[in-house]
Amino acid sequence: MRTSIATVSLSGSLTEKLTAAARAGFDGVEIFENDLLASPLTPEEIRGLCADLGLSIDLYQPVRDIEAVPADVFARNLRRAEHKFRVAQRLGADTVLVCSSVSPHAVDDDALAARQLRQLAERAAEFGMCIAYEALAWGRHVNTYDHAWRIVEAADHPALGTCLDSFHILSRGNEPKDFEGIAELPGDKIFFLQLADAPLLAMDVLQWSRHYRCFPGQGDLDVAGLLRQVLRTGYAGPLSLEVFNDVFRQAEAGPAAVDARRSLLVLQEGVGEKTAGAEPVGEGGLPPAVVPTGVAFAELVTPDVEPATALLSALGFTRTGRHRGKPVDLWEQGAARILLNTGPGARRDGTVLAAVGLETPDPAAAARRAEALLAPVLPRRRSTGDVLLDAVAAPDGTELFFCATGRPPLPSWTADFAATGERPGEGTGLRGIDHLALAQPWHQFDEAALFHRGVLGLDAQPSVDLADPYGLLRSRAFTSADGAVRIALGVGPAPGDEHARAQHIALATDDIVAAARTFRAAGGHLLPMPANYYDDLAARFDFAPGELETYQELDILYDRDGNGAFRHCYTHTLGRVFFELTQRDTGYRGYGAQNAPVRLAAQHVSNS
């Protein structure tokens, strides 16, 4: 189906917004009145620019506070609306959005509202316009889609239809029973469809709408379920995004438009159906998701060679390989592999987690899906004989490599490394990477969430807010169904807060006590935890004799839910990276979120 985006969803000047929408692959735009009023371009020039960019102007919006008012007020409203129709005509748009009234002059009289909207439609038709009447969730008297439809039906004019907005509908009820009636509407009277998602928040719906909408797939609303109902009506108009979001309006328009377009591609895939009288939902079909089956490696880039190698050695890793053409070493223990890159690209702010290798059943297919979902494909600097790996960039710049480690006939990245002759020993008993925690720039958290769900096919877990001594950290985990891949995304309490944006690699062990003791004996230092934490732990859980004392001695944190227990401890931070040792019972699916405030406070003390 055709795709569109409201200019209010993007930052910058109107020209920048239109250019970004076109480059991202949208078919059309909704012109938001404020963007037109602030533009130095005339409506005719905007129309010409859109034509040059290959964009249709699908809607001009909004006209507010029109209906169900006294006759003298309505006469003034008609004059005001006529001006909007002339502007829309000059733009080349044929549909104008009219929101249900919030005016104190409006009365609760559906018959009056219908008569006045019919008059408005008659006037619009004279200009070659149609009216799409939308129920605002906070409308004074009309605030539900079915109420708006009853008024449109009573008005009975061919130039008057309804506009359905997923936020206004789902913010009042997010269960299927709350919107299943949409399928009974006549598709030809749905003049426009606006889509937006949002996190579930307990707050005034107007403030929720104006500041916290997001693109489909980034929030908690059942946008796909609503879209299925709309398509069953035979609606064949554009899928249009209308998102009010403080973060998006401060982010660059280009990446935001790409993220928006990706959200519609994923949404259409999720709906995955073709209804009578409608075009296919997808656009030739996306390549299916190829869910990663494990973490092949995590690559650290560092200027701090000696501290990094000392830390890896204390953790029990062995340097088993040296890249044949680059200053990159392979360190191994069990199935955990760390690449240590000491090349000239090392950042001045110290050690960073720059790349992740994901074990993938079909690397080429995974790359095709990523490219179809607008992920930037990374050209790889290769020396003669290097294994060619497919790689894309995540929104935060982390390089993601699709790997087939030791699975002939597929090429294995390990062939690029010459063996050092050393073989991994028992080390500290680490057997693999439990999860990765990737810090996100504050304006890219939602984009990263959609990327990991849509591009990688991982399942999204609920967002969690974690108390930091200087604010709140937001975290959301994405996992494969079997837990073989776990990636936790986090964003700090404020833009530019680098200390709150450390990354970490969590390593799995079956005996954390032994691992912690071995690490310390090798010269490693664990992050100290306060005695008050262990006093509280004793009140919350029952422990075997001496168990809690051992945890306190080794600075091990503890959590338990109905499915099992989780034990974990942390190294000090090196640059922007630290390691976590974890021991999780099979049924435990969390990450010790209850302990995060204690860990964050300890890190602030350690880094100060």
Side-chain angles (χ1 to χ4, degrees):
M1 297 181 73
R2 295 182 64 257
T3 59
S4 186
I5 187 170
T7 55
V8 73
S9 307
L10 302 171
S11 68
S13 68
L14 181 56
T15 298
E16 291 171 325
K17 295 171 187 243
L18 296 175
T19 302
R23 287 179 176 171
F26 282 94
D27 301 303
V29 291
E30 304 174 36
I31 299 292
F32 194 69
E33 182 181 54
N34 289 356
D35 287 320
L36 182 141
L37 297 180
S39 175
L41 302 179
T42 66
E44 289 80 8
E45 288 171 330
I46 295 169
R47 178 179 183 170
L49 175 59
C50 286
D52 291 341
L53 292 170
L55 295 170
S56 58
I57 299 179
D58 298 324
L59 187 75
Y60 181 55
Q61 64 129 324
V63 178
R64 301 184 185 275
D65 297 332
I66 289 290
E67 80 285 5
V69 293
D72 59 329
V73 176
F74 183 65
R76 293 195 299 272
N77 291 348
L78 273 182
R79 289 193 295 273
R80 173 165 56 89
E82 284 180 1
H83 172 72
K84 312 286 188 184
F85 299 153
R86 292 189 186 95
V87 171
Q89 194 176 52
R90 294 170 66 192
L91 285 169
D94 61 7
T95 306
V96 174
L97 180 73
V98 174
C99 301
S100 63
S101 181
V102 299
S103 169
H105 299 294
V107 296
D108 189 8
D109 186 337
D110 286 4
L112 177 61
R115 286 197 303 273
Q116 292 184 342
L117 284 176
R118 181 181 176 86
Q119 288 180 258
L120 182 70
E122 289 171 347
R123 196 66 55 90
E126 296 173 6
F127 291 86
M129 295 288 132
C130 291
I131 299 295
Y133 182 55
E134 172 188 60
L136 296 178
W138 53 88
R140 182 172 175 82
H141 301 295
V142 179
N143 47 41
T144 64
Y145 77 90
D146 50 339
H147 192 174
W149 165 244
R150 290 195 300 272
I151 293 174
V152 168
E153 188 176 33
D156 190 24
H157 193 281
L160 178 66
T162 189
C163 171
L164 299 178
D165 182 303
S166 67
F167 179 84
H168 291 301
I169 296 169
L170 297 175
S171 63
R172 300 184 63 86
N174 194 32
E175 298 295 328
K177 62 180 176 59
D178 297 312
F179 53 81
E180 285 178 347
I182 289 174
E184 304 303 317
L185 302 181
D188 61 349
K189 293 299 284 185
I190 301 174
F191 282 4
F192 211 73
L193 173 64
Q194 295 176 320
L195 299 169
D197 205 338
L200 292 178
L201 300 172
M203 66 186 307
D204 173 75
V205 69
L206 177 58
Q207 295 304 310
W208 187 19
S209 171
R210 287 288 179 258
H211 302 283
Y212 295 100
R213 294 196 199 191
C214 53
F215 297 129
Q218 296 177 341
D220 301 310
L221 302 181
D222 188 8
V223 182
L226 183 142
L227 178 55
R228 289 189 191 97
Q229 298 299 320
V230 174
L231 293 174
R232 287 174 182 143
T233 69
Y235 173 77
L239 308 181
S240 189
L241 297 170
E242 186 197 41
V243 173
F244 298 84
N245 184 291
D246 295 342
V247 173
F248 294 175
R249 283 183 279 197
Q250 297 177 65
E252 291 183 42
V258 170
D259 187 34
R261 181 92 172 95
R262 180 183 297 130
S263 77
L264 284 182
L265 292 171
V266 174
L267 176 64
Q268 291 177 77
E269 179 186 49
V271 170
E273 69 180 62
K274 181 178 179 181
T275 58
E279 298 177 24
V281 176
E283 300 184 352
L286 287 172
V290 182
V291 181
T293 57
V295 177
F297 64 80
E299 181 175 355
L300 303 181
V301 177
T302 182
D304 304 317
V305 180
E306 291 185 7
T309 57
L311 178 56
L312 288 174
S313 296
L315 285 167
F317 283 86
T318 301
R319 190 173 72 93
T320 60
R322 178 74 174 177
H323 197 280
R324 300 179 191 279
K326 302 173 186 176
V328 180
D329 290 334
L330 169 60
W331 294 73
E332 293 186 84
Q333 182 177 182
R337 305 180 191 91
I338 304 295
L339 301 185
L340 193 62
N341 186 333
T342 57
R347 294 165 49 126
R348 293 181 179 179
D349 57 350
T351 304
V352 296
L353 176 55
V356 174
L358 295 173
E359 294 289 358
T360 309
D362 187 340
R368 287 194 296 273
R369 178 176 176 84
E371 188 171 8
L373 284 172
L374 312 179
V377 177
L378 296 175
R380 190 174 179 221
R381 297 184 297 275
R382 297 176 63 235
S383 302
T384 302
D386 278 2
V387 173
L388 180 61
L389 294 180
D390 293 298
V392 298
D396 66 347
T398 300
E399 297 181 355
L400 299 178
F401 291 88
F402 300 118
C403 302
T405 308
R407 286 191 283 124
L410 296 174
S412 177
W413 60 276
T414 53
D416 288 344
F417 290 81
T420 62
E422 298 183 57
R423 297 186 62 81
E426 293 184 2
T428 53
L430 304 179
R431 55 179 174 75
I433 292 177
D434 180 86
H435 66 272
L436 300 169
L438 305 179
Q440 302 299 304
W442 69 281
H443 60 285
Q444 289 180 324
F445 183 85
D446 289 326
E447 180 183 358
L450 178 63
F451 178 93
H452 283 78
R453 188 178 72 82
V455 174
L456 301 182
L458 299 175
D459 297 327
Q461 307 303 308
S463 290
V464 178
D465 289 331
L466 308 173
D468 178 87
Y470 299 97
L472 284 177
L473 291 176
R474 185 181 175 198
S475 179
R476 191 172 194 183
F478 295 81
T479 68
S480 58
D482 61 0
V485 176
R486 301 183 182 96
I487 298 175
L489 306 179
V491 63
D497 189 344
E498 296 299 323
H499 291 297
R501 288 176 49 203
Q503 306 154 305
H504 79 264
I505 301 169
L507 302 166
T509 178
D510 293 324
D511 188 344
I512 195 169
V513 171
R517 290 196 190 282
T518 305
F519 175 66
R520 281 189 171 180
H525 298 279
L526 292 169
L527 186 69
M529 295 297 157
N532 291 337
Y533 167 77
Y534 296 97
D535 287 342
D536 180 69
L537 209 57
R540 292 169 53 207
F541 301 110
D542 294 325
F543 294 97
E547 182 181 5
L548 182 59
E549 290 75 12
T550 299
Y551 294 158
Q552 184 169 3
E553 173 200 349
L554 297 172
D555 297 302
I556 293 172
L557 301 166
Y558 182 88
D559 188 34
R560 187 192 302 164
D561 62 17
N563 299 310
F566 186 65
R567 302 160 180 86
H568 54 140
C569 56
Y570 298 88
T571 70
H572 287 267
T573 303
L574 178 65
R576 284 187 52 210
V577 176
F578 60 93
F579 287 88
E580 178 184 6
L581 306 182
T582 68
Q583 179 183 342
R584 73 169 65 234
D585 290 350
T586 303
Y588 184 92
R589 292 288 182 261
Y591 301 85
Q594 290 283 342
N595 298 324
V598 179
R599 184 261 297 177
L600 290 164
Q603 287 178 320
H604 277 291
V605 171
S606 175
N607 295 332
S608 61

